[in-house]
């Protein structure tokens, strides 16, 4: 399990690098209004943090020298004010060459309904067998956050905190973007949507981006096993070769589609990252209710005040008594 967590941490690092390059490449979402596009674009970007109802589909691919190393797919349905608030699935895969390092296939499914958070974990191990486990956190208001709703359960306090964070990031973004906003080009549009694109080559990538990548890879090298860590083939001073972002906003200025591509090279190798994002069904998404009894190997944690902290473990086993499968349930209370 520790080794698996390490691999997942590396995948998270890859995802983080991809998203970081994408943000720096795109700078900020432009708008259909050329006179104040950057400011309106910032409003559209900030609007992603306040979506109370939406459907999201996201995909990420990481490639080494043109071969897919790993991929991540996310589907999320969210309704902040519904009895069923969240349905989310997240699946990561790795090619045969990198499967031993990242894990063959990992899938998380999470749900939020009636105040309960439910998480199911699937893992295809090196033997090709499927390991499954489910955790149910009853009466837990602090778990099951969505990807695009930055608000928590205490709206007043959270709103003030989020506004401060957004303002801080906005000021940093203004400094980082600089003249890059002039690279955003209008592509097409109609009465319902507008599409824009920005493309940067190596000469246009800010110097601090490559400095940051160098710091990240140098830090990774200190803790990595170079014999099996694929990122170490890029050395400690990779550079971003190019990055591009194409996106569409609807007539209300909300993001509907985005696709980003970036490439980084080092020590004769190239790391490619491709990301796509689709946002849809704003205001009309209805996550489906889940039947918990259909889930495998359930552990239940009850956080209700009267229970203190009660745990119920339902363990399925292949052992049998008189030819009958057995199931053991243990309940404890702190």
């Amino acid at each position: 399990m520790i080794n698996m967590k390490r691999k997942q941490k590396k995948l998270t690092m890859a995802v983080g690098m991809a998203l970081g390059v994408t943000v720096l490449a795109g700078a900020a979402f432009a708008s259909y209004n050329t006179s104040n596009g950057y400011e309106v674009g910032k409003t559209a970007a900030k609007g992603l943090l306040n979506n109370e109802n939406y459907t999201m589909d996201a995909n990420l691919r990481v490639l080494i020298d043109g071969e897919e190393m790993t991929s991540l797919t996310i589907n999320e349905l969210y309704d902040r004010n519904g009895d069923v608030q969240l349905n989310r699935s997240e699946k990561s895969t790795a090619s045969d060459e990198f499967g031993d390092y990242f894990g063959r296939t990992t899938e998380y499914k999470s749900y939020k309904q009636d105040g309960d958070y439910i998480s199911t974990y699937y893992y295809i191990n090196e033997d090709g067998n499927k390991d499954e486990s489910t955790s149910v956190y009853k009466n837990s208001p602090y778990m099951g956050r969505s990807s695009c709703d930055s608000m928590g359960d205490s709206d007043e306090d959270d709103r003030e905190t989020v506004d401060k964070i957004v303002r801080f990031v906005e000021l940093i973004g203004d400094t980082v973007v600089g003249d890059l906003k002039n690279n955003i080009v209008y592509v097409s549009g109609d009465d319902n949507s507008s599409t824009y694109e920005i493309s940067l080559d190596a000469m246009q990538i800010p110097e601090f981006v490559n400095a940051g990548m160098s710091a990240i890879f140098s830090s990774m090298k200190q803790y990595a096993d170079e014999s099996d860590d694929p990122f170490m083939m890029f050395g400690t001073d990779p550079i971003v070769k190019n990055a591009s972002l194409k996106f569409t906003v609807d007539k209300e200025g909300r993001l509907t589609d985005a696709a980003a591509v970036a490439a980084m090279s080092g020590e004769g190798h190239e790391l490619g990252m491709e990301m796509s994002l689709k946002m849809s069904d704003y205001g009309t998404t209805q996550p489906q209710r889940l039947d918990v009894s259909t889930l495998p190997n359930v552990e239940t944690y009850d956080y209700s005040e009267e229970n203190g902290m009660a745990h119920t473990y339902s363990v399925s086993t292949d052992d049998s008594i008189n030819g009958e499968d057995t199931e053991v349930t243990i309940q404890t209370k702190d």
Side-chain angles (χ1 to χ4, degrees), residues 21-72:
V21 171
T22 298
V23 170
L24 289 168
F29 295 118
S31 174
Y32 33 81
N33 187 332
T34 56
S35 63
N36 62 351
Y38 178 64
E39 293 300 323
V40 175
K42 284 197 299 184
T43 301
K46 290 187 291 184
L48 286 174
L49 301 176
N50 299 302
N51 285 317
E52 296 187 351
N53 182 287
Y54 63 85
T55 297
M56 180 185 75
D57 292 284
N59 294 278
L60 171 71
R61 297 176 68 219
V62 181
L63 305 93
I64 290 183
D65 298 331
E67 178 186 351
E68 182 176 297
M69 177 177 68
T70 186
S71 66
L72 178 67

Side-chain angles (χ1 to χ4, degrees), residues 17 73 79 112 136 145 166 190 192 196 216 245 258 266 304 310 323:
M17 286 190 294
T73 301
D79 179 15
K112 186 72 176 288
V136 177
R145 290 288 186 92
V166 169
D190 53 32
N192 295 315
Y196 290 79
I216 291 172
L245 172 67
S304 58

